[in-house]
Amino acid sequence: TGLVINAPEIREPMGLFGHVSNGVIRNVVIESCDINALDSAGAVAGKVIVSNDKNEAYVADCYATGKIKGSSFLGGIAGSSSKVMRCGFSGDVIGEQDTLFEQTSYGVGGVAGDAVLVENCFARGNVSGYRYAGGVVGQGRRVFDSYFIGALEGVETVGGVVGSCAV
């Protein structure tokens, strides 16, 4: 409860877990988070990756409320993750112009900013970003049985569930 991170000039993954490689995060609940980061930020994890074909890395069965603010790869649950399953976020995910590196915001989603697989997830609240903004995921490859309820704002490649879907 009350996770606060204020690091808008540090280019490192931010969240309860910053960077997770070949790990599984399950059954985490975070209430009233307030995260202000540069990129790769989410309440539960900033970045969750698989380093080789023999391992798994994902976020599952998590819920968070609050506000995530930054520039790129922002999500209510995870900034960037290989998989996000059965998770929900209620609150605001706000992508803003990166004044430090002078780039527009991209990859902003209610659950994940960027993910290979998003399944059985939801987001409620407000999502805003310049490019690749989505109610559930900003940039996704496979999205199943997920929904968004709220307000979505963006300029390029914006979608109610997925901003950009690449196969």
Side-chain angles (χ1 to χ4, degrees):
T1 300
L3 173 67
V4 176
I5 298 173
N6 188 20
E9 296 181 357
I10 299 173
R11 183 161 261 168
E12 292 293 328
M14 302 283 173
L16 180 63
F17 298 92
H19 186 271
V20 176
S21 180
N22 302 324
V24 174
I25 302 170
R26 296 184 80 149
N27 302 315
V28 174
V29 175
I30 299 171
E31 295 179 0
S32 303
C33 73
D34 187 1
I35 299 174
N36 186 7
L38 184 56
D39 57 23
S40 294
V44 176
K47 191 173 195 175
V48 180
I49 64 166
V50 176
S51 65
N52 61 52
D53 292 339
K54 296 179 182 178
N55 294 310
E56 278 197 295
Y58 62 86
V59 179
D61 306 306
C62 295
Y63 178 73
T65 66
K67 180 172 80 171
I68 313 293
K69 182 178 169 186
S71 177
S72 302
F73 300 121
L74 308 173
I77 297 295
S80 180
S81 182
S82 56
K83 298 178 190 174
V84 182
M85 300 171 293
R86 301 176 304 280
C87 291
F89 178 77
S90 295
D92 300 328
V93 182
I94 304 162
E96 297 182 325
Q97 170 87 19
D98 174 356
T99 55
L100 191 62
F101 294 97
E102 298 182 5
Q103 64 185 25
T104 58
S105 70
Y106 59 92
V108 179
V111 171
D114 179 61
V116 175
L117 171 68
V118 175
E119 187 171 23
N120 295 313
C121 292
F122 72 88
R124 291 187 190 109
N126 301 299
V127 175
S128 63
Y130 185 85
R131 182 181 308 128
Y132 308 136
V136 174
V137 61
Q139 293 176 264
R141 284 153 194 83
R142 297 179 304 176
V143 179
F144 302 103
D145 303 320
S146 299
Y147 68 91
F148 170 68
I149 297 172
L152 175 64
E153 185 178 325
V155 177
E156 293 178 16
T157 319
V158 178
V161 173
V162 182
S164 173
C165 186
V167 181

